[in-house]
Amino acid sequence: MVPHRAHWLLQDWNFIRVWATGAICNTVRWLEFLAVGLFVLELTGSPFYMSMIAALRLLPLLLFGSLTGAIADRINRCQLLAAGLVILIMMFATLGTLAIMDTLRLWHIGASAFISGLVLSTEHSVRRALLGEISGVASLGTANGLDRSTDNITLIAGPLIGGLVFQTIGLLGTCIVACGMLGIAFCLIASVRFNPTQGNLGNASIFSDIQQGLRFALNMPTILRVLITTVIFNFCVWPLWTLLPVVAKSLLELDPVWTGILMSMTGIGSLVGALSVAMFIRPAHYQATFFYGSTLFLLAMLVFTLSAKLWISAIIFVLAGIGLAGFATMQTTIIFSVSPPHMRSTILGIVVVCIGTSPLGIVTGGILAEQLGATVGLSLISLGGLLAMGLVGLILKK
């Protein structure tokens, strides 16, 4: 049954265009994340500054996530996505120009990270909500599984391209590649011909919609568990991505290309996991897949800090990717499946706010890395995450 739904979705050109837009944008996101991290490490030599730049990228999710979701329930989602792509193209063009003029400074990187995060805040509440509208609830698990599968291909491609481009051309090359790819994404989303459900078109204010969505989420145990787990997971996972160049260089003695290869192993595991979800996971297994996938990633993160061999670390990252697939695929699926149609983007916006708590984890990781070393800092964060997930597990049993 599920494979037939996948075949049906892949015949819908609107689905394909929105799906492909996400694939391109996520490739650029990972490419940018690694290249900027390497640039800041070269410029400052400080894990703390790397962490602060990463925190700036994710801060808009906390500040504007719920607002973006409420706005997305009121206006055309395709137009909102297209506007975000134009902003990103202008941002990368500016960074590239500054790099050519040799006037690029750390505050420019910080400002661009914040702008990039502002556009990122639309991913869940706009693009993924649009995919759900196109696919329908009956095919939602399959649609999110396919989308997550592509996300994981981008997690393979983005770091590989980012490491290679940065090592050969530098940050300028990253900006050129990003502008070209985002231009293609803009053409794709501009050609979508679909009118999604606009739920909140009455006289109620946006903030009233947010309040209504928050009240619904807090009184729905299924959604509340997703929100709590999302906070725990993102507090722990982003310090790993942020400090990976430091650990790769100090512990494994890797150059930018091999750092990208190691990071891409997560994408390989996550691709396998997401395809398995799309093909085999039924609604009765959504909650368990979400919980155990999150726990597997945190456990793999802890084991990675104890590894000093590249091949062992690569296997660990593959396992981490499988766990990441369970978390990421089911997060949107669960929320979308239990939320009223007119509140879906608003509630997904609340999820984005929970993701936006990650700067707290990033700053914590940066401080621990400066004081105790990156590997010890990541170990402490992953242990705390596993303990918190154990408490969530007790709640899930009730």
PDB file of all heavy atoms in Angstrom, residues 68-83:
ATOM      1  N   THR A  68       6.196  32.965  12.149  1.00  0.00           N
ATOM      2  CA  THR A  68       6.240  32.484  10.762  1.00  0.00           C
ATOM      3  C   THR A  68       5.136  31.481  10.500  1.00  0.00           C
ATOM      4  O   THR A  68       4.488  31.494   9.454  1.00  0.00           O
ATOM      5  CB  THR A  68       7.606  31.848  10.463  1.00  0.00           C
ATOM      6  OG1 THR A  68       8.637  32.805  10.704  1.00  0.00           O
ATOM      7  CG2 THR A  68       7.687  31.377   9.028  1.00  0.00           C
ATOM      8  N   GLY A  69       4.920  30.570  11.469  1.00  0.00           N
ATOM      9  CA  GLY A  69       3.871  29.577  11.301  1.00  0.00           C
ATOM     10  C   GLY A  69       2.492  30.192  11.190  1.00  0.00           C
ATOM     11  O   GLY A  69       1.682  29.803  10.344  1.00  0.00           O
ATOM     12  N   ALA A  70       2.209  31.184  12.041  1.00  0.00           N
ATOM     13  CA  ALA A  70       0.905  31.850  11.992  1.00  0.00           C
ATOM     14  C   ALA A  70       0.727  32.623  10.692  1.00  0.00           C
ATOM     15  O   ALA A  70      -0.357  32.630  10.103  1.00  0.00           O
ATOM     16  CB  ALA A  70       0.755  32.778  13.197  1.00  0.00           C
ATOM     17  N   ILE A  71       1.792  33.273  10.229  1.00  0.00           N
ATOM     18  CA  ILE A  71       1.719  34.004   8.959  1.00  0.00           C
ATOM     19  C   ILE A  71       1.467  33.028   7.810  1.00  0.00           C
ATOM     20  O   ILE A  71       0.693  33.312   6.889  1.00  0.00           O
ATOM     21  CB  ILE A  71       3.018  34.794   8.726  1.00  0.00           C
ATOM     22  CG1 ILE A  71       3.121  35.944   9.734  1.00  0.00           C
ATOM     23  CG2 ILE A  71       3.076  35.342   7.300  1.00  0.00           C
ATOM     24  CD1 ILE A  71       4.441  36.678   9.689  1.00  0.00           C
ATOM     25  N   ALA A  72       2.117  31.862   7.865  1.00  0.00           N
ATOM     26  CA  ALA A  72       1.982  30.874   6.794  1.00  0.00           C
ATOM     27  C   ALA A  72       0.571  30.327   6.690  1.00  0.00           C
ATOM     28  O   ALA A  72       0.167  29.832   5.635  1.00  0.00           O
ATOM     29  CB  ALA A  72       2.972  29.726   7.004  1.00  0.00           C
ATOM     30  N   ASP A  73      -0.194  30.388   7.780  1.00  0.00           N
ATOM     31  CA  ASP A  73      -1.595  29.959   7.734  1.00  0.00           C
ATOM     32  C   ASP A  73      -2.498  31.017   7.105  1.00  0.00           C
ATOM     33  O   ASP A  73      -3.683  30.794   6.910  1.00  0.00           O
ATOM     34  CB  ASP A  73      -2.100  29.644   9.146  1.00  0.00           C
ATOM     35  CG  ASP A  73      -1.832  28.197   9.546  1.00  0.00           C
ATOM     36  OD1 ASP A  73      -1.761  27.347   8.642  1.00  0.00           O
ATOM     37  OD2 ASP A  73      -1.700  27.934  10.752  1.00  0.00           O
ATOM     38  N   ARG A  74      -1.929  32.186   6.797  1.00  0.00           N
ATOM     39  CA  ARG A  74      -2.734  33.291   6.293  1.00  0.00           C
ATOM     40  C   ARG A  74      -2.424  33.667   4.849  1.00  0.00           C
ATOM     41  O   ARG A  74      -3.274  34.229   4.169  1.00  0.00           O
ATOM     42  CB  ARG A  74      -2.522  34.535   7.184  1.00  0.00           C
ATOM     43  CG  ARG A  74      -3.123  34.417   8.570  1.00  0.00           C
ATOM     44  CD  ARG A  74      -2.681  35.558   9.463  1.00  0.00           C
ATOM     45  NE  ARG A  74      -3.428  35.575  10.714  1.00  0.00           N
ATOM     46  CZ  ARG A  74      -4.487  36.328  10.965  1.00  0.00           C
ATOM     47  NH1 ARG A  74      -4.930  37.138  10.033  1.00  0.00           N
ATOM     48  NH2 ARG A  74      -5.098  36.272  12.114  1.00  0.00           N
ATOM     49  N   ILE A  75      -1.181  33.431   4.385  1.00  0.00           N
ATOM     50  CA  ILE A  75      -0.796  33.870   3.047  1.00  0.00           C
ATOM     51  C   ILE A  75      -0.316  32.696   2.222  1.00  0.00           C
ATOM     52  O   ILE A  75      -0.170  31.581   2.720  1.00  0.00           O
ATOM     53  CB  ILE A  75       0.301  34.958   3.117  1.00  0.00           C
ATOM     54  CG1 ILE A  75       1.606  34.371   3.666  1.00  0.00           C
ATOM     55  CG2 ILE A  75      -0.143  36.128   3.969  1.00  0.00           C
ATOM     56  CD1 ILE A  75       2.748  35.356   3.647  1.00  0.00           C
ATOM     57  N   ASN A  76      -0.038  32.948   0.963  1.00  0.00           N
ATOM     58  CA  ASN A  76       0.388  31.916   0.036  1.00  0.00           C
ATOM     59  C   ASN A  76       1.774  31.405   0.413  1.00  0.00           C
ATOM     60  O   ASN A  76       2.744  32.171   0.453  1.00  0.00           O
ATOM     61  CB  ASN A  76       0.407  32.477  -1.389  1.00  0.00           C
ATOM     62  CG  ASN A  76       0.681  31.406  -2.414  1.00  0.00           C
ATOM     63  OD1 ASN A  76       1.793  30.916  -2.532  1.00  0.00           O
ATOM     64  ND2 ASN A  76      -0.355  31.044  -3.162  1.00  0.00           N
ATOM     65  N   ARG A  77       1.890  30.114   0.694  1.00  0.00           N
ATOM     66  CA  ARG A  77       3.156  29.546   1.165  1.00  0.00           C
ATOM     67  C   ARG A  77       4.225  29.556   0.076  1.00  0.00           C
ATOM     68  O   ARG A  77       5.411  29.714   0.362  1.00  0.00           O
ATOM     69  CB  ARG A  77       2.933  28.130   1.684  1.00  0.00           C
ATOM     70  CG  ARG A  77       2.039  28.076   2.923  1.00  0.00           C
ATOM     71  CD  ARG A  77       1.973  26.678   3.517  1.00  0.00           C
ATOM     72  NE  ARG A  77       1.099  26.657   4.668  1.00  0.00           N
ATOM     73  CZ  ARG A  77      -0.130  26.163   4.689  1.00  0.00           C
ATOM     74  NH1 ARG A  77      -0.623  25.634   3.578  1.00  0.00           N
ATOM     75  NH2 ARG A  77      -0.857  26.184   5.769  1.00  0.00           N
ATOM     76  N   CYS A  78       3.821  29.369  -1.167  1.00  0.00           N
ATOM     77  CA  CYS A  78       4.793  29.375  -2.266  1.00  0.00           C
ATOM     78  C   CYS A  78       5.457  30.749  -2.390  1.00  0.00           C
ATOM     79  O   CYS A  78       6.671  30.845  -2.609  1.00  0.00           O
ATOM     80  CB  CYS A  78       4.110  29.000  -3.578  1.00  0.00           C
ATOM     81  SG  CYS A  78       3.565  27.281  -3.658  1.00  0.00           S
ATOM     82  N   GLN A  79       4.672  31.798  -2.242  1.00  0.00           N
ATOM     83  CA  GLN A  79       5.228  33.148  -2.327  1.00  0.00           C
ATOM     84  C   GLN A  79       6.178  33.421  -1.171  1.00  0.00           C
ATOM     85  O   GLN A  79       7.214  34.083  -1.335  1.00  0.00           O
ATOM     86  CB  GLN A  79       4.092  34.176  -2.341  1.00  0.00           C
ATOM     87  CG  GLN A  79       3.230  34.119  -3.590  1.00  0.00           C
ATOM     88  CD  GLN A  79       2.061  35.084  -3.544  1.00  0.00           C
ATOM     89  OE1 GLN A  79       1.881  35.824  -2.560  1.00  0.00           O
ATOM     90  NE2 GLN A  79       1.242  35.087  -4.588  1.00  0.00           N
ATOM     91  N   LEU A  80       5.836  32.916   0.009  1.00  0.00           N
ATOM     92  CA  LEU A  80       6.700  33.098   1.177  1.00  0.00           C
ATOM     93  C   LEU A  80       8.035  32.380   0.976  1.00  0.00           C
ATOM     94  O   LEU A  80       9.103  32.915   1.302  1.00  0.00           O
ATOM     95  CB  LEU A  80       5.994  32.574   2.420  1.00  0.00           C
ATOM     96  CG  LEU A  80       6.576  32.973   3.779  1.00  0.00           C
ATOM     97  CD1 LEU A  80       6.645  34.470   3.930  1.00  0.00           C
ATOM     98  CD2 LEU A  80       5.743  32.354   4.904  1.00  0.00           C
ATOM     99  N   LEU A  81       7.996  31.169   0.416  1.00  0.00           N
ATOM    100  CA  LEU A  81       9.223  30.423   0.134  1.00  0.00           C
ATOM    101  C   LEU A  81      10.072  31.145  -0.910  1.00  0.00           C
ATOM    102  O   LEU A  81      11.295  31.237  -0.774  1.00  0.00           O
ATOM    103  CB  LEU A  81       8.879  29.014  -0.354  1.00  0.00           C
ATOM    104  CG  LEU A  81       8.349  28.036   0.701  1.00  0.00           C
ATOM    105  CD1 LEU A  81       7.857  26.758   0.031  1.00  0.00           C
ATOM    106  CD2 LEU A  81       9.415  27.715   1.731  1.00  0.00           C
ATOM    107  N   ALA A  82       9.427  31.635  -1.950  1.00  0.00           N
ATOM    108  CA  ALA A  82      10.156  32.339  -3.010  1.00  0.00           C
ATOM    109  C   ALA A  82      10.842  33.593  -2.471  1.00  0.00           C
ATOM    110  O   ALA A  82      11.995  33.887  -2.817  1.00  0.00           O
ATOM    111  CB  ALA A  82       9.198  32.709  -4.146  1.00  0.00           C
ATOM    112  N   ALA A  83      10.167  34.329  -1.594  1.00  0.00           N
ATOM    113  CA  ALA A  83      10.762  35.530  -1.007  1.00  0.00           C
ATOM    114  C   ALA A  83      11.990  35.172  -0.178  1.00  0.00           C
ATOM    115  O   ALA A  83      13.020  35.875  -0.218  1.00  0.00           O
ATOM    116  CB  ALA A  83       9.732  36.255  -0.144  1.00  0.00           C
TER     117      ALA A  83
END
